[in-house]
Amino acid sequence: MKKIIVPTDFSDQASFALDLAAQIARQSDAEITLLNVIEQPGSSFNTMGQVSTTDSDNVYVLEMLKAMKQKMEETASDEAYADLNLKTVVHVGHTFHTISAEIAERGADLIIMGSKGASGIEEVLIGSNTEKVVRHSKAPVITVKSPAKFDTIKNIVFATDLTGKHPHVTEEIVKLQKMLGATLHIVKVNTPTNFQSDRDIKKMMKEFVDEGKLTDYTLNIYNDAVEEDGIIYFADDINADLIALGTHGRTGLMHLLSGSVAEDVVNHSKRPVWTCKMH
């Protein structure tokens, strides 16, 4: 884990994300890129996600750039980060597209983002750039809503539906597990709409563990009406430190029809959530 990107809007949640990134960087000697994107209200964007402005808009943008660069430099020069390789980047453009471009350009190994979460009509109508990054990022993403201590993460809920083979997700979570010296609590949430017998699930779990060559784990079947609720409630029941799961990265109509368990868990979990795109 050598390159970490932390998008920031200077919210409390973004500060929690930077603090967690700092902890991980100290342990792995990683480089951190702190990224801020200025998205001007009312502007249009070209196909590259760059903002299109008029001359009068440019004055506003230049002032914003100056202010944000100064704020980023103040953050980077904080004594709390003096021992880190911390770079700062400020762009003007479409927030999600710009974050995605930075992830690709820098070959990031991990993205850490703050999440305020949402519920009900707000969740449906507004969504968030965090959710989009969770859905599309090729690198694993950790989302946080509150301060997190990396070295105290010892119990990880690893939620899986046990269908299909996604070795990339397993490989990435094992890397994190070994770095932390943590136990994986592998859980399959059994729901009425996708019910399977305990016998079948236990057989699939054994195959899952053998194929992933997993160690230091527990196997768990949890019954609930909804998969995302079951994952969160199971994490509550065992007082887990982190929830981990893969995401299908669906978009368009498929995303609207099937939704995303990963995004729902990110929105509603009070714990840090680690996600990794399956494909």
Side-chain angles (χ1 to χ4, degrees), residues 138 140 158 160-176 184 207-214 245-247 274 276-279:
K138 293 181 180 179
F158 184 23
T160 174
D161 62 8
L162 301 171
T163 61
K165 296 181 180 179
H166 309 290
H168 172 64
V169 176
T170 304
E171 288 170 6
E172 290 295 333
I173 195 60
V174 167
K175 288 179 188 176
L176 183 64
L184 290 180
E207 293 173 354
F208 182 80
V209 166
D210 290 345
E211 288 174 1
K213 299 178 180 179
L214 300 179
L245 68 166
T247 175
W274 177 98
C276 185
K277 193 173 179 181
M278 292 179 182
H279 304 289

Side-chain angles (χ1 to χ4, degrees), residues 134-171:
V134 164
R135 195 186 315 158
H136 295 283
S137 175
K138 293 181 180 179
V141 180
I142 296 177
T143 55
V144 294
K145 293 188 179 78
S146 58
K149 296 293 183 183
F150 186 67
D151 59 3
T152 64
I153 296 175
K154 298 302 179 185
N155 291 286
I156 301 173
V157 167
F158 184 23
T160 174
D161 62 8
L162 301 171
T163 61
K165 296 181 180 179
H166 309 290
H168 172 64
V169 176
T170 304
E171 288 170 6

Side-chain angles (χ1 to χ4, degrees), residues 228 248 250-261 264:
E228 46 268 43
H248 289 283
R250 296 188 181 101
T251 58
L253 182 60
M254 280 302 296
H255 177 69
L256 291 175
L257 292 175
S258 62
S260 168
V261 172
D264 284 341

Side-chain angles (χ1 to χ4, degrees), residues 1-12:
M1 199 173 296
K2 296 302 179 185
K3 294 184 178 180
I4 303 172
I5 291 181
V6 182
T8 183
D9 57 1
F10 300 102
S11 64
D12 288 342

Side-chain angles (χ1 to χ4, degrees), residues 64-230:
M64 285 292 294
L65 274 171
K66 182 179 178 181
M68 287 301 103
K69 285 181 178 179
Q70 181 177 343
K71 198 165 185 177
M72 293 281 272
E73 288 171 4
E74 289 172 357
T75 301
S77 62
D78 191 305
E79 289 184 3
Y81 310 120
D83 59 328
L84 300 175
N85 181 5
L86 176 59
K87 302 179 183 299
T88 62
V89 178
V90 181
H91 286 304
V92 178
H94 185 286
T95 302
F96 167 66
H97 290 159
T98 304
I99 293 172
S100 297
E102 284 291 323
I103 292 171
E105 182 179 334
R106 296 182 183 276
D109 302 302
L110 179 66
I111 318 302
I112 305 181
M113 299 185 71
S115 172
K116 295 180 181 178
S119 60
I121 192 69
E122 181 184 15
E123 181 181 353
V124 174
L125 294 177
I126 299 174
S128 72
N129 287 300
T130 299
E131 289 175 1
K132 293 176 185 176
V133 174
V134 164
R135 195 186 315 158
H136 295 283
S137 175
K138 293 181 180 179
V141 180
I142 296 177
T143 55
V144 294
K145 293 188 179 78
S146 58
K149 296 293 183 183
F150 186 67
D151 59 3
T152 64
I153 296 175
K154 298 302 179 185
N155 291 286
I156 301 173
V157 167
F158 184 23
T160 174
D161 62 8
L162 301 171
T163 61
K165 296 181 180 179
H166 309 290
H168 172 64
V169 176
T170 304
E171 288 170 6
E172 290 295 333
I173 195 60
V174 167
K175 288 179 188 176
L176 183 64
Q177 177 194 17
K178 289 181 177 178
M179 185 184 296
L180 289 162
T183 298
L184 290 180
H185 300 278
I186 301 165
V187 62
K188 156 69 177 174
V189 177
N190 212 10
T191 64
T193 56
N194 191 26
F195 179 81
Q196 294 173 285
S197 70
D198 279 12
R199 182 183 179 89
D200 288 341
I201 294 174
K202 287 175 181 177
K203 181 182 177 181
M204 294 170 70
M205 280 183 161
K206 185 180 184 306
E207 293 173 354
F208 182 80
V209 166
D210 290 345
E211 288 174 1
K213 299 178 180 179
L214 300 179
T215 59
D216 195 5
Y217 61 84
T218 68
L219 299 177
N220 307 271
I221 302 170
Y222 197 89
N223 299 311
D224 206 289
V226 181
E227 189 175 355
E228 46 268 43
D229 286 349

